[in-house]
Amino acid sequence: MLSEKMEQALNEQVNAEIYSGYLYLSMSAYLEEADWPGFAKWMRIQAEEELEHGMKIYDYIIRKGARVTLKGIESPQTEWDGVEAIFEHVLEHEQFVTSLINNLVDLAIEEKDHATNLFLQWYVEEQVEEEENAMDNLARIQKGKDSIDALFMLDKDFGARQAE
């Protein structure tokens, strides 16, 4: 059984994960329009992954006999100043999501909710990976940003990403 406070916090995280998917889908749409199909594909897969993260929490809430309460999703940003700006935003966003996950872990510890703490450890590890990927991707784009040929090669490389 989840405490009311934990149930509310987990529901907020479902919303945050769905928003992340919505944000990355908006980035994908921007990149498609800007004729960067590889970067767009990478973002679309990222959007799907974030939605899966939200559904994993959704399912956990149900498994714990609590109630899922969905709220409206904020409209995401739709314009950026190019590929580099998008990947800067990705890093900032992943750092923000990490702070949300850390707050959930802190609450689980405070509430002595060992099951939820254990469940959230997957997200702690996932955020390490997400931030690392965001930093690596941004660094690659920054190195190639002054060469259209390099950006085209990166676009092709990012487009090779497969959904897991």
Side-chain angles (χ1 to χ4, degrees), residues 12 14-26 70-78 89 93 96 100:
E12 289 171 8
V14 169
N15 186 276
E17 298 290 343
I18 293 171
Y19 172 79
S20 294
Y22 208 36
L23 174 63
Y24 292 146
L25 197 57
S26 181
L70 300 176
K71 296 182 181 175
I73 303 297
E74 180 184 334
S75 294
Q77 183 175 335
T78 59
H89 192 166
H93 184 73
F96 172 70
L100 296 177

Side-chain angles (χ1 to χ4, degrees), residues 23-32 43 80 86 89-90:
L23 174 63
Y24 292 146
L25 197 57
S26 181
M27 291 174 173
S28 178
Y30 171 88
L31 290 161
E32 284 287 359
M43 282 298 171
W80 288 269
I86 283 183
H89 192 166
V90 169

Side-chain angles (χ1 to χ4, degrees), residues 115-126:
T116 301
N117 184 18
L118 182 62
F119 169 75
L120 291 170
Q121 294 310 304
W122 181 88
Y123 286 88
V124 171
E125 183 61 32
E126 179 68 11

Side-chain angles (χ1 to χ4, degrees), residues 112-163:
K112 296 182 177 160
D113 184 344
H114 303 295
T116 301
N117 184 18
L118 182 62
F119 169 75
L120 291 170
Q121 294 310 304
W122 181 88
Y123 286 88
V124 171
E125 183 61 32
E126 179 68 11
Q127 282 311 118
V128 170
E129 181 182 316
E130 294 287 6
E131 284 191 37
E132 179 182 29
N133 287 339
M135 287 185 292
D136 290 349
N137 288 339
L138 179 57
R140 291 173 68 200
I141 288 162
Q142 287 172 332
K143 286 177 185 172
K145 71 181 180 182
D146 295 327
S147 166
I148 195 70
D149 291 337
L151 281 177
F152 277 119
M153 286 176 50
L154 286 168
D155 183 64
K156 183 177 179 181
D157 186 48
F158 277 60
R161 180 181 185 185
Q162 298 294 315

